[in-house]
Amino acid sequence: MYHALLIFGQFVLAALLVLSARWSPVPWTALLLGLPGVLLAVWAWFTMGWFRLRIHPTATERTRMLVSGPYGFVRHPMYSGLLWFTAALLLSGFHVWRIVLWIGLLIVLLAKSREEEISILSRFPEYADYQSKVGRVLPKV
């Protein structure tokens, strides 16, 4: 049930942020600033494999431990890309409640990533070493 709530929260909050953006006139600045986030997420999807994408935060027998490409910079590049893109969209129609939605999305994605990592650690014990070297949604400096 908890995982279903995280998935639901992720999609609802992201959709609200996208749909509540002011799209007329086209927010070119926000879209250009958000483009690297989209590219990061798409790069991660290609690296993972088109048909390996799962929204449920549990590892399966098909799960692979990825540490190259965008996964060499952050452990959850799709979440990073989504957060980057939706943060850029905050520039199109500033409202405090939209910032609250974005913070909610951040909290949901951090919780979901924590659940994923618990599952991945049980399947790949070497993931702990990767966690110590690579940041969750932001690169370690």
Side-chain angles (χ1 to χ4, degrees):
M1 180 67 169
Y2 178 61
H3 291 165
L5 288 174
L6 291 174
I7 294 165
F8 179 76
Q10 174 186 349
F11 282 95
V12 167
L13 291 167
L16 287 172
L17 286 163
V18 170
L19 295 173
S20 66
R22 188 175 353 164
W23 290 100
S24 180
V26 175
W28 292 111
T29 302
L31 291 175
L32 288 174
L33 289 173
L35 183 61
V38 172
L39 295 175
L40 177 63
V42 170
W43 183 24
W45 192 4
F46 272 110
T47 302
M48 175 184 290
W50 273 122
F51 301 106
R52 290 188 174 272
L53 182 67
R54 296 184 72 240
I55 60 171
H56 202 276
T58 53
T60 68
E61 63 282 345
R62 293 184 60 217
T63 300
R64 297 179 302 161
M65 187 175 137
L66 300 172
V67 297
S68 63
Y71 295 91
F73 300 105
V74 291
R75 297 191 311 262
H76 299 276
M78 287 189 213
Y79 294 167
S80 299
L82 177 60
L83 289 166
W84 187 332
F85 178 70
T86 54
L89 283 183
L90 293 176
L91 298 174
S92 67
F94 177 82
H95 295 285
V96 172
W97 62 269
R98 293 185 73 228
I99 294 172
V100 171
L101 290 177
W102 188 87
I103 292 169
L105 179 62
L106 173 64
I107 291 167
V108 165
L109 291 178
L110 290 175
K112 191 175 173 202
S113 68
R114 186 184 68 241
E115 292 296 312
E116 286 178 16
E117 293 192 344
I118 290 168
S119 181
I120 291 170
L121 269 169
S122 69
R123 186 154 159 74
F124 303 100
E126 63 273 22
Y127 191 79
D129 183 54
Y130 172 66
Q131 284 178 303
S132 70
K133 296 175 183 168
V134 178
R136 187 181 297 192
V137 293
L138 292 175
K140 284 190 174 182
V141 288

